[in-house]
Amino acid sequence: MARITNSILEGLSGSVGDLTFYKIGGKTYTRRKPGKQSKSTKAKTSEIKRRSQSVNTQSVRFLKNITHILKFGYQNHENGARRAYHAAVSYTNKNSFKFEGNSKILDISLVKVSLGNLLGPQNAKAERVTDGIKFTWTDNSEQASAKP
């Protein structure tokens, strides 16, 4: 991936040959399209690489449904073209899996929807109500670096 700084190429978007141009946060980036993989190449994929691909697939399948939450929870981890969602996937891949035999399985209890150095909720409670689950806690905004 490369960031475009040349003013002539700055407005490009779409594909040209094997390059794809796209904009994120008003800045133009380019990357090369991935090549097609033959069936024989796929068959030669190592067990370690397949496990890594499985980890990423499981993370993406789980996190894609809560991207609106992750945008807020990981907002301080955006950098250049890296978005909050990317930071959440990276954290989940590294910290939220357990081995079961030779495979890794996502442990949802280890997934974090926010990351940072804020204080945890005080007096947190969850109770079942007729409409679902009600979460309550004591407001600790304005303590340390917390904001409402």
Side-chain angles (χ1 to χ4, degrees), residues 103-117:
S103 58
K104 283 183 151 184
I105 305 298
L106 178 65
D107 183 350
I108 297 171
S109 68
L110 298 174
V111 174
K112 288 191 174 186
V113 295
S114 67
L115 195 61
N117 56 1

Side-chain angles (χ1 to χ4, degrees), residues 29-88:
Y29 295 89
T30 186
R31 64 177 164 225
R32 190 172 169 190
K33 290 182 186 176
K36 301 259 183 195
Q37 213 177 41
S38 67
K39 288 183 181 179
S40 63
T41 304
K42 284 183 183 178
K44 295 176 189 173
T45 304
S46 72
E47 184 61 36
I48 293 171
K49 185 172 180 180
R50 285 180 203 251
R51 187 181 308 137
S52 174
Q53 291 169 340
S54 171
V55 163
N56 199 53
T57 300
Q58 291 177 65
S59 294
V60 168
R61 281 186 182 157
F62 181 77
L63 296 176
K64 74 178 180 181
N65 297 312
I66 57 170
T67 54
H68 58 288
I69 296 169
L70 299 174
K71 276 185 184 178
F72 180 77
Y74 283 81
Q75 63 187 310
N76 293 332
H77 298 276
E78 292 188 354
N79 184 14
R82 181 183 167 113
R83 295 286 161 232
Y85 175 77
H86 303 133

